[in-house]
Amino acid sequence: MKLIALQIKTTPNFQENLDELKSLINSCEKDSIILAPELALSEFSYDRMEEASTFSIKAIEEIKALSEDKIIALTFITKNEDQFFNTLYIFHNLQIIHTQSKAKLFPLGNELEYFSAGNEQDIKIIEINGLKIATLICFELRFPQLWEKIKGADIILNPAMWGVKRKDHYESISKALALVNQCFVIACNSANDNMAKSSAIISPFGNVIKDDLKTKIEANFDKDEIKKVRTYINIGLDK
């Protein structure tokens, strides 16, 4: 199994972004776990929220159709009862396996003005094919209480649009997340010019595979690595 972060740029053209993402997903190996950056199809698009949420309905169906033999995760601008949310979808076996909306909105941007916060209760470990998977969306990385909610996961996903000024923060926190939880982390950040990039696959022992020049960051997943680290340095996590 491959763990894959798609470090892509987002253009103002939603359809072009979707076409590019679908092409990249199709190029990934079967049984891969694939993560795209936060709002990879639309960015935040505060002046086009209605358009973006409508486009998400179409995009969700098209991405779902590619998930027969892959696990695919990304966030979309969604609308519910006149409120907009930044919502993660995880697809597998042509189904929507899990959704959660971003609960911790970034106060230094305009997220609090345009988005409603999701429910922290939706941040949890889910199980797919015997793998324990959890997600923190971008800014949520900074909250220790959310780390507690996903303790024991085998793989933690982090789709992000993390700014270049805080590049070192993103790299340091992502690695710490893997080390503290003794798990794999897929950190997937936008490749836009003002973003930090720094997408990476990080092992339970803290080995980092990253390349800011690549669109596809990938590494092999071996569940035995989790067991070895949790046995070698036993901090009470399930092996």
Side-chain angles (χ1 to χ4, degrees):
M1 175 185 289
K2 292 279 190 183
L3 306 180
I4 300 174
L6 299 178
Q7 187 170 247
I8 54 180
K9 288 188 174 184
T10 302
T11 76
N13 188 314
F14 298 166
Q15 185 61 52
E16 284 184 5
N17 298 331
L18 177 59
D19 292 343
E20 172 69 8
L21 179 61
K22 288 169 62 178
S23 176
L24 285 168
I25 290 171
N26 283 326
S27 75
C28 295
E29 293 181 13
K30 292 182 178 181
D31 300 320
S32 299
I33 298 179
I34 304 161
L35 180 64
E38 182 181 22
L39 300 180
L41 299 181
S42 64
E43 295 188 277
F44 286 90
S45 296
Y46 294 134
D47 58 342
R48 303 167 66 192
M49 296 287 279
E50 195 72 47
E51 179 188 356
S53 65
T54 299
F55 184 81
S56 293
I57 297 170
K58 157 192 163 67
I60 286 165
E61 291 304 310
E62 293 189 23
I63 298 296
K64 182 172 69 173
L66 302 181
S67 69
E68 182 175 5
D69 51 16
K70 300 178 175 82
I71 298 170
I72 306 167
L74 67 155
T75 72
F76 303 84
I77 293 177
T78 60
K79 187 178 182 182
N80 184 26
E81 295 182 354
D82 296 323
Q83 293 180 302
F84 293 102
F85 296 88
N86 181 349
T87 306
L88 172 91
Y89 280 69
I90 298 180
F91 306 95
H92 182 52
N93 280 342
L94 307 177
Q95 300 293 323
I96 296 168
I97 299 298
H98 174 69
T99 64
Q100 69 186 72
S101 293
K102 191 175 184 178
K104 296 294 187 181
L105 302 175
F106 188 49
L108 299 183
N110 295 317
E111 292 183 41
L112 293 166
E113 182 179 349
Y114 289 93
F115 284 102
S116 296
N119 191 332
E120 287 189 24
Q121 291 182 350
D122 294 330
I123 300 173
K124 60 187 177 183
I125 294 172
I126 64 168
E127 191 164 316
I128 304 176
N129 292 343
L131 294 176
K132 296 177 180 179
I133 300 172
T135 305
L136 296 177
I137 302 170
C138 199
F139 183 54
E140 292 176 344
L141 275 184
R142 291 189 180 270
F143 293 84
Q145 71 268 29
L146 299 185
W147 288 33
E148 282 294 311
K149 295 175 67 66
I150 59 175
K151 184 168 65 176
D154 300 321
I155 302 166
I156 298 174
L157 311 178
N158 180 249
M161 288 196 73
W162 198 285
V164 69
K165 292 182 180 179
R166 295 170 294 278
K167 181 180 177 71
D168 180 65
H169 294 192
Y170 188 63
E171 294 177 356
S172 298
I173 298 171
S174 297
K175 185 172 181 178
L177 185 65
L179 290 170
V180 168
N181 288 279
Q182 298 178 326
C183 70
F184 286 89
V185 167
I186 306 178
C188 188
N189 196 31
S190 169
N192 287 8
D193 292 341
N194 60 339
M195 294 291 115
K197 301 181 179 68
S198 297
S199 298
I201 311 299
I202 308 168
S203 79
F205 201 70
N207 298 317
V208 179
I209 295 175
K210 72 180 185 70
D211 188 334
D212 284 356
L213 299 179
K214 285 188 175 181
T215 300
K216 187 189 296 183
I217 314 297
E218 55 188 322
N220 291 322
F221 172 79
D222 183 352
K223 194 170 182 179
D224 283 344
E225 286 193 49
I226 300 170
K227 183 177 180 180
K228 287 176 184 176
V229 171
R230 291 181 180 179
T231 301
Y232 175 56
I233 308 174
N234 188 348
I235 58 172
L237 297 174
D238 290 339
K239 300 177 180 65

